[in-house]
Amino acid sequence: MADRLLTVDEAAERLGTGVRFVRRLVAERRIVFVKVGRHVRIADSALTAYIEAHTVQPARRVRPSYGRAA
C-alpha cells in the first residue's frame, strides 16, 4: 500500500504545531517532502521518521552515593 501524502495543514495538526512551523521545516529542508506542482505534500512515513529522529529519551538518573568509602 502506498504511503499517504499529508497536506501541510494535516502535518501541522499531527505534530500539534502551527502551519508556519511545518512550512519552515520544508523551507529549511529539515523534513522530506514531495512537490506536486506548486503544492507541498509530506509522506506519512517521513513525518513519522521526523518525529522519531527528534524524540528525546529520558536521561537515567544516577543516585549519588553518600557515605560510601571510595
Side-chain angles (χ1 to χ4, degrees):
M1 185 170 158
D3 205 6
R4 182 164 180 254
L5 294 177
L6 305 172
T7 65
V8 172
D9 290 335
E10 291 170 331
E13 184 177 330
R14 180 155 174 226
L15 288 173
T17 64
V19 173
R20 186 175 177 183
F21 176 72
V22 176
R23 290 193 187 284
R24 189 172 63 200
L25 291 177
V26 169
E28 295 174 359
R29 298 185 186 271
R30 293 171 44 202
I31 193 166
V32 178
F33 62 93
V34 177
K35 289 282 289 184
V36 181
R38 293 179 12 193
H39 304 283
V40 171
R41 297 292 183 260
I42 300 168
D44 192 37
S45 61
L47 195 57
T48 300
Y50 176 83
I51 292 167
E52 289 175 359
H54 291 84
T55 299
V56 178
Q57 297 297 323
R60 185 167 178 196
R61 188 173 172 181
V62 179
R63 295 181 180 208
S65 55
Y66 295 110
R68 285 191 177 173

